[in-house]
Amino acid sequence: MIPWQQAWQDALYGPAGFYRSPEGPAGHFTTSTHPPLGAVFARAIAALADREDTGMVVDFACGRGELLRALHVVRPDLELVGVDVVDRPKDLPSGIEWIRAAGGSAVPDALAGLADVLVLANEWLDVVPCQIAQVDDAGVLRVVLVDPRSGRESLGAEVDREAREWADRWWRTEAPGNRVEVGISRDRAWAGLVEAVGTGTVVAIDYGHTAGDRPTEGTLAAYRLGVPVPTVPDASCDLTAHVAMDSLPGATLQSQHDALLSLGLAVEHPPVELAHSDPARYLADLSRRGAVAQLTDPTGLGAFRWAQIRIG
């Protein structure tokens, strides 16, 4: 039995970890950056780069470069850099740079000193392993241990002072059985990404919650091929937990719905007469309308939280 944080790190980023598999994340789930949504999302990110007055976009934890490919088509003038735990995909356009990362909360040294840049981390912090803790029958917050082969859990020692102080500030609970996903590792990961930027903007987009809607039972979950599966850290599935977004140092928060609307995405139905005058364009506009609706849906992807900070 080992702490969940350690088992989680090994399961996702170890030598045979889930995120090192050939198919990559897109083989198991769809995000805002994956086709068919990615083409529309890329236009919004390009608009964000223009608004932030930068010609460089770094996609951190970029999978196999799906968003970068779409950005390369939409805005070939942008300098694009991908960062992930695998080697550069062989079919990635030559104009896109690639940096290999260790995985988890680590930010590669090669990113230090970025200037006039937009750094985007979409659905990264939720897969930065964090300490899982639970309140025991005596009201003591203890580390949750897990058997990596079976997923069987037990309670270990009381959490250390740093974790206790974090929980007291951000996720206070004393009810037996309640869980806390201690966000120290996520806060540090975010801070590390921010520290890599000399001037520019950093945006992290993720499942998240704030002080008013903390989940009492926690959110740790597992998925394989788009389907929920038992939460077992055996490297066969994705492991994710929502992020305490309000604990991220210096971040300004807004929903994806509001962020994308501010960047010019709006659900607009194409004129019906276009179906007769230009059927191909009409179908393309309908497809774009559907993608915008998905990306901004307040009950779906639109409910994601954007954490943003400008540096310099």
Side-chain angles (χ1 to χ4, degrees):
M1 304 289 280
I2 60 176
W4 248 111
Q5 185 173 3
Q6 178 186 339
W8 189 350
Q9 176 75 23
D10 293 343
L12 294 188
Y13 305 109
F18 177 80
Y19 279 130
R20 301 189 190 280
S21 61
E23 66 272 16
H28 294 269
F29 52 85
T30 298
T31 75
S32 300
T33 67
H34 294 154
L37 304 180
V40 174
F41 192 71
R43 293 186 180 277
I45 299 306
L48 178 59
D50 289 341
R51 190 177 77 187
E52 300 301 305
D53 194 26
T54 177
M56 179 181 184
V57 177
V58 175
D59 189 4
F60 196 90
C62 66
R64 300 303 179 266
E66 292 84 2
L67 176 62
L68 295 168
R69 298 168 197 266
L71 277 169
H72 186 66
V73 173
V74 172
R75 288 288 299 278
D77 59 306
L78 288 173
E79 182 181 353
L80 303 175
V81 181
V83 183
D84 211 281
V85 298
V86 295
D87 290 333
R88 176 192 179 88
K90 294 180 180 179
D91 61 345
L92 196 70
S94 59
I96 300 174
E97 297 181 41
W98 191 267
I99 296 172
R100 184 162 179 172
S105 62
V107 176
D109 292 339
L111 286 182
L114 295 172
D116 299 328
V117 64
L118 169 62
V119 179
L120 185 76
N122 185 68
E123 295 195 40
W124 169 51
L125 291 175
D126 69 288
V127 291
V128 170
C130 65
Q131 185 179 83
I132 307 298
Q134 182 172 318
V135 181
D136 68 11
D137 291 340
V140 177
L141 190 61
R142 297 188 177 278
V143 177
V144 178
L145 308 178
V146 64
D147 179 343
R149 295 164 298 180
S150 67
R152 184 173 59 87
E153 295 182 346
S154 66
L155 296 186
E158 182 177 357
V159 299
D160 63 20
R161 179 178 176 180
E162 184 182 28
R164 177 73 263 177
E165 289 176 349
W166 187 94
D168 285 344
R169 179 177 181 184
W170 298 109
W171 198 325
R172 187 172 182 81
T173 180
E174 297 178 351
N178 279 5
R179 287 208 172 194
V180 175
E181 289 150 358
V182 182
I184 294 171
S185 59
R186 278 92 180 269
D187 295 350
R188 288 176 176 164
W190 163 260
L193 204 56
V194 171
E195 288 171 4
V197 177
T199 56
T201 301
V202 181
V203 180
I205 306 170
D206 236 310
Y207 306 92
H209 44 71
T210 56
D213 60 349
R214 298 279 190 246
T216 58
E217 297 179 355
T219 62
L220 182 64
Y223 297 89
R224 186 188 306 119
L225 298 176
V227 178
V229 295
T231 311
V232 181
D234 60 0
S236 71
C237 56
D238 186 29
L239 294 165
T240 172
H242 295 196
V243 181
M245 300 294 284
D246 49 342
S247 76
L248 301 177
T252 299
L253 305 181
Q254 68 179 149
S255 69
Q256 175 156 298
H257 173 274
D258 293 344
L260 293 182
L261 260 59
S262 75
L263 293 169
L265 288 195
V267 180
E268 298 176 348
H269 198 289
V272 176
E273 55 268 20
L274 192 62
H276 305 287
S277 61
D278 192 343
R281 181 181 171 187
Y282 180 74
L283 290 175
D285 286 353
L286 275 182
S287 177
R288 179 182 182 279
R289 178 183 185 276
V292 172
Q294 280 188 263
L295 289 168
T296 59
D297 180 1
T299 64
L301 291 174
F304 273 47
R305 312 285 177 95
W306 284 39
Q308 305 175 66
I309 188 170
R310 289 188 178 93
I311 301 100

